[in-house]
Amino acid sequence: MSEQHDPPPTIRLELLSRPDLLAPVRAMIVSLAERFGFDDIESGHLALAVDEALANVIRHGYESRPDGRIWLTIRLLDDPAPTFRIEIEDEGRQIDPSQINPRDLDEIRPGGLGVHIMREVTDACDFETRSPRGMRLVLEKMPRRRPPHDHRDADETSSSPNRT
Amino acid sequence: MPSDLPIDIETRDGATIVRPSGEVDLARSPTLRTTLGEVIGDGVSRLVLDLSQVDYMDSSGVATLVEALQQCRTRQATLVLSGLQDRVRSVFEIAKLDAVFTIRPDLDAALGD
């Protein structure tokens, strides 16, 4: 996922670590995802994943400080398959990516669901540390609807838990 | 930008009904958390959370409801969720909490329990 081989960003935003900015970002993601070919549920899931990612940066990366900077980059990729890629970068507290894991859902308690939700509703969810500080998260999701030249069984793809 | 969450509260058929409207996310879930804490703290025995006017909820909203459920259980009160829209229900299913909460399709069904 080297950046030098990536196409230029379709959209690149810089925003502050303010919870009241989550709603307008979600609206933008839904609008763009629907135009990219996602259905209503998938568009909502994509917006949910971005919301959870940004909320994590705000709460944990910047410890709820409202003046941290977050960069959100969207790339609409066609090759090898239509893919909606979102990169979220910050300058907040770094965490070893190997320590970022979803918690046991059998334990009924508030909190700790964000990573699980992000992984469930996307096709890829990869954390890495960012130089010189902060974290970088890459989320990818492919539309369930396949282009006409793709002969894979739609039922097969729709049965995957992270595509519903 | 305003981030308040409108919340109606009424009492009917022996139940306290809490009805938030809009999107419950990191900006707005603290308002719901405060309201639910106050209602439960007042000694309610039957709480119905009507989510029919909530068109979005993230994990901070879900965490708020898990906390409310735990508070209700501690006080021997019941908590029923009603009227979940598809997108909101989907979050509960993803978090595998749809079997933890008592969920009814609408307010009448919730009050009929």
Side-chain angles (χ1 to χ4, degrees), chain A residues 30-94:
Chain A
V30 166
S31 176
L32 201 55
E34 287 176 348
R35 283 165 174 76
F36 191 64
F38 288 98
D39 64 26
D40 181 58
I41 291 291
E42 288 180 304
S43 300
H45 281 171
L46 196 52
L48 176 63
V50 172
D51 177 296
E52 297 291 349
L54 294 174
N56 271 351
V57 172
I58 292 169
R59 293 180 61 197
H60 304 300
Y62 290 117
E63 296 171 331
S64 299
R65 271 181 22 232
D67 59 349
R69 293 190 298 173
I70 303 172
W71 294 272
L72 187 146
T73 304
I74 298 171
R75 300 179 203 274
L76 304 181
L77 310 177
D78 287 325
D79 188 27
T83 302
F84 197 112
R85 180 188 294 171
I86 300 161
E87 299 156 17
I88 294 170
E89 298 168 274
D90 65 77
E91 297 176 313
R93 187 165 63 94
Q94 290 189 326

Side-chain angles (χ1 to χ4, degrees), chain B residues 9-26:
Chain B
I9 302 175
E10 66 171 301
T11 302
R12 195 195 308 175
D13 299 340
T16 299
I17 303 163
V18 175
R19 185 182 299 109
S21 300
E23 301 182 331
V24 183
D25 62 5
L26 186 63

Side-chain angles (χ1 to χ4, degrees), chain B residues 9 14 19 25 31 34-35 46 69 87 90 105-106 109 111 113:
Chain B
I9 302 175
R19 185 182 299 109
D25 62 5
T31 304
T34 300
T35 300
R46 202 156 158 250
L69 178 65
R87 279 186 178 178
S90 149
D106 55 39
L111 292 173
D113 278 349

